[in-house]
Amino acid sequence: LEITSVEPGSGAERAGLRPGMWVVGCDDEPVPDLLGLAKRLHARPAGEPAALDVVFQQGWIRYRGTFRVPLR
């Protein structure tokens, strides 16, 4: 799931997520697509942090925080 945009001032931006990075997992489970990620995030109580596994050109990293996924 490629990150194509990050809202300015969002938690994702503050966490260092950038366009061109790829989300490959959420809370130790693979996420194959946007709908899979949205389902995982929306199933948790509002404001509860999630752990996203993200890969990018230089390697991978796990981000922990609260995220909103707009379904566009």
Side-chain angles (χ1 to χ4, degrees):
L1 173 60
E2 184 178 7
I3 298 171
T4 58
S5 65
V6 177
E7 254 184 68
S10 67
E13 182 185 56
R14 288 190 298 277
L17 294 174
R18 301 286 180 260
M21 294 178 159
W22 290 80
V23 177
V24 296
C26 179
D27 294 331
D28 298 318
E29 295 291 330
V31 289
D33 54 27
L34 180 61
L35 184 58
L37 177 60
K39 283 181 180 180
R40 283 198 132 312
L41 293 177
H42 288 283
R44 58 189 342 101
E48 182 179 300
L52 297 182
D53 294 323
V54 178
V55 296
F56 53 101
Q57 199 168 21
Q58 293 81 14
W60 74 273
I61 194 163
R62 174 166 286 172
Y63 290 98
R64 184 147 182 85
T66 54
F67 302 93
R68 183 172 60 90
V69 177
L71 297 176
R72 308 182 219 183

